[in-house]
Amino acid sequence: MLNLPSSDPYLRPYANAIQGRYDYALRKEQEITLGTPLQDWADGYLYFGLHHIKHQWILREWAPNATAIYIKGDFNHWEKDERYRLMPVGNGVWEATMPEEAMKHGDLYKLLVEWQGGWGERIPSYARRVVQDENTKIFSAQVWDPGTKVNKVRLDRKKSAKGEALYIYECHIGMSSEEEKVATYEEFRVKVLPRVAKLGYNCIQIMAIQEHPYYGSFGYHVSNFFAASSRFGTPEELKALIADAHKRGIAVIMDIVHSHAVKNEIEGLGNFDGTPYQYFHEGIRREHPAWDSLCFNYGKPEVLHFLLSNCKFWLEEYDFDGFRFDGVTSMMYLSHGLGEDFNGYGSYYNGNEDGDAICYLTLANKLIHQVKPEAITIAEDMSGMPGLACKIDDGGVGFDYRLAMGIPDFWIKYIKEVKDEDWKAGHILYEMTNRRQDEKTISYAESHDQALVGDKTIIFRLIDSDMYWHFEHGHSTFMVDRGIALHKMIRLITAATINGGYLNFMGNEFGHPEWIDFPRQGNDWSYKYARRQWSLVDNPNYYFADLDRFDAAMIALLRKSFRAKKDRYGVHQPWVVKLWDNEGDQIVAFQRGKLVFVFNWNGNKSFTDYGILTAEGKYKVVLNTDAKQFAGFGLANDNIEHLTQPDPLYRKDHKGWLKLYLPARSAVVLEQVD
């Protein structure tokens, strides 16, 4: 029996299903590779697409239903030209070999694909550069051969300290500027990356990298899977951004969208060779019922080759450090997870699984870690599928981490529906730590999802319109004071209880106001809410600067303290050990290693000489949410060293009482110093 079902008695009834998916992945790999190592087989990007090799151009395309294919572009006045005709070479593959003078760097081009009874202009499926005409808004492939090579930086990158957890700064290049416009890779590198480094995050997760026709899709309706979005700049500028991050000791992962594709036909793969099922399912399974997009057929070897080659491409060509896989729940279930409650283990093994999709995800994780053993893979899954972030050989799917998507949902529900006096301190800790211990997770209080139009960030839910008028020092209101205090406490308990990593969306660390709304017809194509107002945090007169300072102090403390043995599947951090839970007082305390965390969620009561039973010794305060530098009231003296007071009942356990002053709505972190 595989380790996954044998280690969990609740999974043993489903051991055959878990073994079956494991065996299927092994068989599928053998079937498609014929024994070739997976990392050598997934090299479609080196064969298909346009290549400049030995003074000639070669373009190859897979289009099994095509009867003829031509290249049209600037170089032949966009005419059907026999000199630019692709010829069939077998297995649905077409090829054209042209002299060096046939095209040049910067030329725009498309394919003219003909099939029985029709034709259409198409962008090559492996196109590495796709641009949009500013006037006509039409997308075309672009010959990209600038003659310069970005130096490989893998040997030069700064090594992060071993044994660290992930502290991820989720970001979107286009909305990273304060100006009402689409920002660029270079602007992000120069203006935002230094902020990330200063805050102490050791990983950035970049959204919307793969080319997408509609900017407002947040990058989730992909058209061109091998093209870095040109609206943000050139491939070289993206590579320079990644290289700069590496030199700062920051890993770079990207949102990769293999869960669906845009329906567009000219820009995308929707009807590439005249058939709707070349890359996608036929019939009722072709269109996603909720996303207005197309669903890949993961059972086809050619689709597997395309998607697996895409994973390898971003690792090799751009030196990305891994991926956050979008929409994993939608992939793994025939229902796409829609209307499912996933309220028991039987929900995962009831015939609703898409075995081909799970197989693809398994092979993708295997490939990614073959190509780059230190790579990071994160699954966006809300179903809780057991084993998703367990080793493949144990019966898992092989992700390094899964997103703890229940945590932000919990915070939204709590803030919206539960009165302050009813917040249960112990229940909050339970929700932060309720997870499978054998799978690493990425915890977060809020990501980009919680800030999109129709929703609100945590800070805006807590403070609302008072942010506009009372966020300057000396002008706060009760709503502002309460919101600032809870914002810090929520983020601290979320980050302090991780069992893998922590994520924050760009700007949320300092309480960025308002929501995210991309340009669209409904807002007159405005960029007002598709930007980040850095001037707010740079102004020392506003509380934004204090929240930013707290976030940096929190990340620095946790990075310093949560260091332990590390393997490819995450960091084995010290266990969260609950020390105290008093629902009446609304106080909870827990320990991780030498750190003791104490949270007073009570909004009305401060407590003097409040006792927390912990290991005897001397403790010093290393972080206090109520400190004045973090927009607190500074009610406690954090310079005092605290000695535990002995208790005869617990002397044999070497425990004593840590007596603390706990102001209302505050949290304090102490470190044992002897």
Side-chain angles (χ1 to χ4, degrees), residues 272-314:
F272 191 85
D273 69 351
T275 56
Y277 49 80
Q278 181 185 356
Y279 286 93
F280 308 104
H281 283 291
E282 298 183 65
I284 194 172
R285 293 191 62 193
R286 183 171 187 265
E287 295 193 17
H288 196 289
W291 294 349
D292 191 32
S293 55
L294 303 179
C295 301
F296 284 107
N297 183 348
Y298 304 102
K300 294 183 72 169
E302 296 87 354
V303 174
L304 290 176
H305 191 231
F306 178 81
L307 295 176
L308 290 171
S309 295
N310 192 235
C311 294
K312 183 178 177 182
F313 167 78
W314 293 108

Side-chain angles (χ1 to χ4, degrees), residues 481-634:
D481 292 340
R482 169 184 176 268
I484 287 175
L486 288 176
H487 187 266
K488 290 177 290 186
M489 294 178 70
I490 286 169
R491 299 173 75 79
L492 177 59
I493 198 168
T494 304
T497 52
I498 59 173
N499 75 328
Y502 171 76
L503 179 143
N504 160 69
F505 180 68
M506 176 176 65
N508 285 358
E509 70 278 1
F510 65 81
H512 196 284
E514 301 172 329
W515 52 86
I516 299 170
D517 187 13
F518 278 83
R520 55 187 174 87
Q521 189 172 6
N523 64 15
D524 293 326
W525 305 103
S526 170
Y527 288 85
K528 181 178 180 181
Y529 298 108
R531 61 193 180 108
R532 297 284 91 175
Q533 299 181 59
W534 303 110
S535 60
L536 295 176
V537 70
D538 291 339
N539 189 331
N541 296 321
Y542 292 145
Y543 291 119
F544 300 107
D546 304 296
L547 293 177
D548 191 71
R549 195 178 299 115
F550 172 77
D551 198 77
M554 178 184 76
I555 297 297
L557 173 64
L558 299 182
R559 284 189 66 178
K560 172 187 173 184
S561 304
F562 292 174
R563 299 170 73 165
K565 182 181 177 183
K566 181 181 179 183
D567 63 20
R568 182 168 76 76
Y569 287 87
V571 177
H572 299 290
Q573 292 137 355
W575 291 107
V576 175
V577 179
K578 185 162 68 174
L579 301 175
W580 194 259
D581 174 10
N582 189 308
E583 296 293 10
D585 294 337
Q586 293 183 278
I587 289 177
V588 68
F590 59 89
Q591 183 173 356
R592 296 200 81 169
K594 291 191 174 184
L595 295 186
V596 172
F597 299 81
V598 185
F599 289 80
N600 178 12
W601 297 97
N602 198 313
N604 299 313
K605 291 183 181 180
S606 298
F607 297 91
T608 302
D609 290 333
Y610 198 94
I612 303 295
L613 187 65
T614 186
E616 60 185 16
K618 183 188 298 183
Y619 291 81
K620 66 176 181 180
V621 174
V622 290
L623 187 66
N624 191 337
T625 64
D626 191 52
K628 286 187 176 181
Q629 61 177 323
F630 305 139
F633 294 101

Side-chain angles (χ1 to χ4, degrees), residues 61-67 69 91-94 272-273 275 278-279 300 302:
E61 190 61 65
W62 175 61
N65 189 56
T67 57
I69 303 180
N91 298 317
V93 177
W94 298 75
F272 191 85
D273 69 351
T275 56
Q278 181 185 356
Y279 286 93
K300 294 183 72 169
E302 296 87 354

